[in-house]
Structures are given as C-alpha cells and as structure tokens.
Amino acid sequence: MRKRFLTGVLVITMAASLSACGDSTEAITAAPAVTEAATEAATEAKTEGATEAKTEAATEAATEEKTEADSGELTKEKYDSMTAEDLLAMANIKDTQALTDDEYYWMLDTYKFVDIDYDKLEMDYFHSITYEALKQCKGGSTHRIMDRLVTSEYPQVRGVGYGSVSGFFGASDKNVDALVKALETETDEYCLYKAVEGLTNEMAKDPKVAEFIFKMTEHTNPLIRKKTTIAIGNTWSIGVDGTVDKIIEMMHDENEEVRKCAVEYAGKLHDDAVVEPIVEILNDPSQAKVHGSAIRGLSYMWLDFPFHKATSEAAYRATMDYYSKTPRNQDIPAWDGIGAFDTVSEKALADNDWYNNATYFDPDEFTSIMADVIADPDVNWLARGCAMKAVHALAPDHFDSLENAANACGDHKAIDEFNKQKEKYASE
C-alpha cells in the first residue's frame, strides 16, 4: 500500500512553522501600573483645573516612570543569569493564564537580550528564558500589538513582529499596513529576513508587499534572496504580476542555494513558462547540484504532491526526458530528484481523479524509464532505490518487473534493495 499523507499532517506542519516564526506561544508583557507619583500628578491637575499643558506633563511623567519600571531594572547581564520563573516574578503579572497585551509586550520586549546570529540570520528563541516563561502563560496577542513591536528600537523585538504578522487566516490589513510603513526605513538584515518570512503569503494582498518582496530579490545577502524565492514561488502568489518572470530571473542567481530554491519553488506557480528555463539548467552538467531541486520543481507541476490536483504534460515530459538521457554518471541524473515522486497520497490521487486527469502519465513508460535507471551500472546506487520506490508509488502493479533491472546492473546493493522493498510492501 502506498504511503498516505493526511491533511492533518499539513495543518500540524503549518502550525509548527508559524510557531517558529514567533506567532504562537503568546508572550506576556507586564507593564506595571502607573506609579503613585504619576497618579497624584494627574489627580492634582484635575482638582486644580490644570491646563492642557499640565495634563500632558503628567501623562509624560507617567509614561517615563512606566518605561523605567518596565525595563530599567533588567539588563542583559541579569537576564542571562535568570530563570524563567525569575523573569515571571519580575514581570509582576496579575494572572499568567490571562495576560493583558501590555504584559505580553513586556515579555516580548525581553527578547532584546537574546543574541542574533547574523551569519545565519537566526535568533534562538526556543532556548531563551523568555520562551520558557511564555510557555507557562496564556493570553496576549502579537496581532493586537503589532505596531508597537515593529517600531521597537531593538531588532530582536521588531523581528518578532515581522515574523508573526500572518496566522492561519492571513494577516490583517491593519498589520500589513503597519509592516509596510515600518519597512520603509528598516535596514537591519535580520529584520528584513523576518519580514520576508512573515509576508510570504501576502503578496496578493497589497501591491506594496509585492514591491517589497521583489526589492529583496536584489539584496546583497543571499539568505534574504533565498527567502524571497519562497515568497514568490508559492500558491498564494499565483496571479501576482511579475512572479513568473522574477522566479525565472532568480534561477540564474550567483548563489547556488538561491538557484536551487528558485527552480524548486518555481513549480508551485504552476505556469508552464518555467519549464523551458528549468530544462536549460537540467541540460547543463555544470549545474548538476541544482538538478535535484529542478526535478522537484517540475514534479510540483505534473504530480502535485500532496494534493495531486495540478497537472502539466510539459513538466512531465521534461522530467522523463531527463531520466532517459544517457550517458549517466554518479551525479546525473540526480538521485534525489526521483525522491520527489516516490511518495504519494493515495487518497488525494483518488479524490482528485489524478490518473484520469494526468492523461500524459503512462505506467508502462514510467516503469520502463525507471527500470533503465536501475539497470545502468554508472548510476548512483541511491537513485536505484528511489526509482524502485517511485514505481511502487505510481505504478505498483509493475513493481515486480524491476527485479530483472536490479539484477542487470551488476550491483548486489540493487537486488538487496529490491528484495527489501518487496518484503516491506508485502507486509503492509
């Protein structure tokens, strides 16, 4: 029986992804109450009929004292020596199970003491005492304090806001506007990276978001450029003017990792215009390390795992042509590319009638090409195992015919792998 991937897995994955962006595990910001001195100042102003200027002065005094109470007592040295419980005690939270937005912001603000790794554009949220403290709390919402987060003087705090702007139902117009405004003057690379991450699914929402994402494709940091290819090449960006041309342009980026990401995510746009540029890369032996990603990009178009809704004969033919090409060697064809279609969702294939809709797919042809790969002694041995799994996934009735191919390659690993897989599938 072929492997099944349920929708629930996708939801869990999405939830985990959002958590990594800082959107879940709502934090606590205990902004201590306005001090007695500030309250007296306000009361006196009211009692004596103070002027507007006096009222403003009282408000400013309250704000200054509140700010000092929020963060003045905490330093990085103290933070690094604290426990999560120490931090919660200092926050002076009224109810850890019902945080106010001010309490939540106070806690998020302590992320400013967590170091940013600018070489990787990462911040280790999950090993910080702030994160550990937040796990003990409930309440608060990044979405309600987004404007405060993205205008913080600290890049760590701004990054929390940028990275958590979207949820399961997308970002609100108000928060998108707040980010777009903040990004007009943002220069910190970590923050720009988190902003691209947070706005990945929002290009169709606002032309200014698309403009920002496209601008980041020209950033000098390849990590930021790589992240933009994910934003451009996903189903949420389908139909946004310029995405197809831009992702094709990114296929020629000077950085190999950016090129890999571009050729793979181009397939998620489901536009046959990307097929020819991908084929050009597949025909270039000097880019063998990019071939696996290119095949995965094509497979999104003709197999469309895990949904199996989209079809593309052009992408399928390009894939089969690549694996039919000889002579082969240890690098070409890319063994990891076959892994893009060695697992399917049997339910989705049936629900979306993929076999009837994908009229180009011929189980006999597919099996013949995979068998030829398996029998070729020059092929990387890892490709043989993937090819066997691919046949079992898409043409299971043909799996037993691969035994001759496994024997023909003259590599004992091939027949061992065939027997191992046959035994496995028989037991399922």
Side-chain angles (χ1 to χ4, degrees):
M1 181 179 68
R2 285 167 283 176
K3 298 179 183 176
R4 298 169 179 264
F5 281 69
L6 303 178
T7 304
V9 176
L10 298 177
V11 174
I12 292 172
T13 302
M14 290 173 63
S17 175
L18 292 173
S19 176
C21 293
D23 190 41
S24 61
T25 310
E26 294 293 276
I28 48 177
T29 49
V34 177
T35 62
E36 182 179 352
T39 303
E40 290 178 354
T43 302
E44 182 180 356
K46 179 178 179 181
T47 302
E48 298 179 0
T51 62
E52 181 178 352
K54 289 183 179 180
T55 301
E56 291 179 355
T59 301
E60 290 176 1
T63 301
E64 290 176 359
E65 292 194 42
K66 175 181 175 182
T67 301
E68 182 178 356
D70 280 351
S71 59
E73 299 178 5
L74 188 58
T75 64
K76 179 169 175 53
E77 183 178 7
K78 290 181 180 180
Y79 178 88
D80 289 342
S81 65
M82 295 172 74
T83 66
E85 288 68 26
D86 293 336
L87 191 63
L88 287 173
M90 187 175 194
N92 194 28
I93 297 168
K94 294 180 179 178
D95 183 356
T96 59
Q97 301 307 297
L99 303 178
T100 66
D101 288 342
D102 282 341
E103 291 171 341
Y104 181 38
Y105 181 80
W106 190 93
M107 287 299 295
L108 287 181
D109 186 61
T110 64
Y111 274 128
K112 65 191 177 187
F113 299 116
V114 180
D115 294 330
I116 297 172
D117 183 344
Y118 279 95
D119 289 333
K120 298 180 179 179
L121 297 185
E122 294 178 354
M123 193 172 92
D124 194 359
Y125 293 97
F126 304 114
H127 291 93
S128 67
I129 63 167
T130 300
Y131 179 77
E132 291 300 319
L134 296 179
K135 290 197 299 184
Q136 303 177 40
C137 306
K138 294 181 180 178
S141 168
T142 53
H143 301 293
R144 291 198 296 267
I145 59 172
M146 187 61 61
D147 55 341
R148 295 168 66 182
L149 293 172
V150 298
T151 55
S152 169
E153 66 178 293
Y154 303 101
Q156 298 95 323
V157 181
R158 297 200 302 277
V160 171
Y162 288 134
S164 62
V165 65
S166 289
F168 282 117
F169 304 103
S172 69
D173 292 340
K174 176 183 177 182
N175 284 340
V176 168
D177 289 343
L179 260 68
V180 168
K181 182 177 180 180
L183 288 169
E184 290 178 357
T185 56
E186 185 62 76
T187 59
D188 183 86
E189 291 189 355
Y190 173 73
C191 289
L192 293 173
Y193 181 89
K194 297 299 291 185
V196 174
E197 181 178 84
L199 294 170
T200 288
N201 296 339
E202 307 296 330
M203 289 186 69
K205 182 182 288 290
D206 189 326
K208 291 183 179 179
V209 173
E211 181 181 350
F212 165 72
I213 298 293
F214 286 143
K215 180 180 179 181
M216 289 300 100
T217 65
E218 300 174 0
H219 198 280
T220 56
N221 192 316
L223 293 176
I224 293 177
R225 299 200 304 276
K226 179 180 177 180
K227 183 65 75 172
T228 64
T229 64
I230 298 174
I232 294 170
N234 76 81
T235 54
W236 290 88
S237 300
I238 292 176
V240 175
D241 189 38
T243 52
V244 174
D245 289 340
K246 180 57 71 172
I247 203 114
I248 292 174
E249 178 184 321
M250 299 299 285
M251 292 180 192
H252 303 286
D253 192 273
E254 64 181 9
N255 182 273
E256 183 178 279
E257 292 303 312
V258 175
R259 296 198 302 274
K260 285 182 178 180
C261 200
V263 295
E264 179 170 344
Y265 281 83
K268 293 192 174 185
L269 293 175
H270 297 291
D271 191 316
D272 280 356
V274 305
V275 174
E276 184 176 346
I278 290 177
V279 169
E280 291 179 5
I281 291 172
L282 291 174
N283 288 335
D284 183 356
S286 69
Q287 296 210 58
K289 292 182 179 180
V290 183
H291 288 186
S293 298
I295 291 297
R296 287 194 291 275
L298 293 176
S299 76
Y300 285 135
M301 301 175 68
W302 68 262
L303 181 57
D304 191 27
F305 174 80
F307 305 108
H308 303 305
K309 290 183 178 180
T311 58
S312 170
E313 183 170 1
Y316 176 76
R317 289 263 59 92
T319 303
M320 294 301 100
D321 288 346
Y322 175 72
Y323 283 102
S324 299
K325 191 184 307 181
T326 57
R328 302 183 180 93
N329 56 48
Q330 291 292 299
D331 298 320
I332 300 174
W335 69 268
D336 56 331
I338 304 177
F341 38 88
D342 69 6
T343 304
V344 299
S345 168
E346 189 177 57
K347 184 178 185 301
L349 284 172
D351 289 348
N352 294 299
D353 202 17
W354 183 83
Y355 283 102
N356 285 328
N357 291 328
T359 55
Y360 47 80
F361 182 76
D362 181 348
D364 292 326
E365 176 197 37
F366 183 77
T367 301
S368 177
I369 292 173
M370 292 297 102
D372 197 34
V373 170
I374 295 168
D376 194 327
D378 294 325
V379 168
N380 189 310
W381 70 272
L382 291 169
R384 298 191 183 96
C386 289
M388 293 175 193
K389 293 177 182 178
V391 170
H392 188 270
L394 288 173
D397 294 340
H398 294 63
F399 180 77
D400 287 345
S401 68
L402 299 179
E403 184 171 8
N404 290 335
N407 282 313
C409 76
D411 184 352
H412 69 88
K413 290 182 181 179
I415 192 63
D416 288 346
E417 180 65 22
F418 172 79
N419 289 330
K420 182 168 62 177
Q421 289 192 31
K422 183 176 182 179
E423 181 179 353
K424 174 186 175 182
Y425 297 136
S427 66
E428 291 183 347

